Amino acid sequence: MVQPTPWGANETQDRTGTPEPGASGTGPHGPKAYQVALRGHWGYVAAAVGNLVTLVLLFQAWITVRGPDGRVTVNAFGRMQITTVYLNVWSSHRPRAAQITGFWAILASAAIVITVLAVLINLRLRIEAITRLALFSSLATALFVLITVLHINSKSAELKGMVSRTSDLGGQIGSFMNWAFGNGKLAVPGIGQVAYTSATLTHWALLAGFTALGSAVAAVAQWVRSDSTGLFRMPWRVQVITSKPSPEADPAD
């Protein structure tokens, strides 16, 4: 008869009661906690991160305008930073300020917040409706950002008018004084070359557009990869059921 020993008891417990590392998938060789949380949601997480980058870019200068009377920079919300040398301060026809709205940028910001919150919540709850909300809000963000880029670019003519010199007497006096104090060139017909005003979209605006589009593409790719049944669950076929008379029924009845 074999007497049990403490070493034998420990070996038996190790063989029967203690699982090997990685056997249940939670050890060193199993998936990490964040991998389990992100499973099937990598595209949505990438879209949320891209939208956060886009939100930061909305506050950068999106268009820069330079002219004889100074410089103007505008961000996506229509906020302007203006420098001027007052060429037209005595002019009777002063340039009007450009009318730029920040409405589309505000909508883009709201869509970004919705996307990020939906993705964070769905990492925990895994609800189909919230997944669709993240997808649609990411698409809306891309749309609103593109509209903002087009809107600000369409205001380049008005922005250039803010920093250009006027041709009346007040504008000519301002140009002459600016030249006399060595701050610029005097516009004289046929003598010298004077640069016109220029308006350029900055790389921040272009980067915001690409980031928003990339985020939308990542969300759509994840939706397709998840093998969803469809965005609106529209049936492909409609089955019509009609009732037929029983053969046992009497025609006379």
Side-chain angles (χ1 to χ4, degrees):
M1 183 176 182
V2 180
Q3 297 294 331
T5 62
W7 301 278
N10 292 336
E11 293 176 358
T12 305
Q13 184 177 1
D14 291 339
R15 289 195 301 266
T16 58
T18 305
E20 296 181 359
S24 61
T26 59
H29 304 288
K32 304 297 183 181
Y34 73 92
Q35 293 177 340
V36 176
L38 296 178
R39 184 176 299 165
H41 284 72
W42 285 100
Y44 302 123
V45 173
V49 173
N51 283 344
L52 286 177
V53 175
T54 304
L55 181 62
V56 175
L57 295 176
L58 291 177
F59 294 91
Q60 307 301 317
W62 276 34
I63 190 170
T64 301
V65 181
R66 294 180 177 86
D69 197 21
R71 179 172 177 266
V72 181
T73 59
V74 187
N75 65 8
F77 297 94
R79 183 178 180 181
M80 302 181 187
Q81 293 183 351
I82 307 171
T83 59
T84 180
V85 293
Y86 297 107
L87 287 182
N88 307 313
V89 68
W90 291 338
S91 176
S92 58
H93 303 286
R94 298 179 183 178
R96 298 179 58 185
Q99 302 297 322
I100 300 178
T101 178
F103 175 73
W104 299 109
I106 294 175
L107 289 181
S109 301
I112 290 172
V113 173
I114 293 174
T115 302
V116 174
L117 292 179
V119 171
L120 291 177
I121 293 173
N122 213 32
L123 287 177
R124 179 70 176 178
L125 300 181
R126 309 283 181 164
I127 300 177
E128 182 74 12
I130 300 180
T131 302
R132 296 189 182 193
L133 177 62
L135 174 65
F136 287 131
S137 58
S138 182
L139 293 173
T141 299
L143 176 63
F144 294 147
V145 169
L146 291 180
I147 293 177
T148 304
V149 173
L150 295 176
H151 171 68
I152 291 182
N153 187 58
S154 67
K155 298 296 181 177
S156 58
E158 298 181 23
L159 291 170
K160 289 190 291 185
M162 295 175 59
V163 293
S164 61
R165 56 167 55 95
T166 56
S167 59
D168 60 354
L169 181 59
Q172 294 298 328
I173 293 175
S175 298
F176 178 79
M177 294 181 65
N178 187 53
W179 168 79
F181 286 97
N183 295 325
K185 294 182 178 181
L186 184 64
V188 179
I191 301 177
Q193 294 181 355
V194 179
Y196 285 90
T197 55
S198 62
T200 307
L201 284 174
T202 65
H203 59 280
W204 301 119
L206 301 178
L207 182 60
F210 284 120
T211 306
L213 284 177
S215 301
V217 170
V220 172
Q222 185 63 67
W223 179 270
V224 174
R225 183 179 177 83
S226 299
D227 194 20
S228 301
T229 56
L231 293 180
F232 304 101
R233 297 185 182 275
M234 293 293 293
W236 289 99
R237 288 183 289 178
V238 178
Q239 184 178 4
V240 179
I241 301 176
T242 58
S243 59
K244 295 181 179 180
S246 176
E248 299 179 356
D250 188 1
D253 295 340

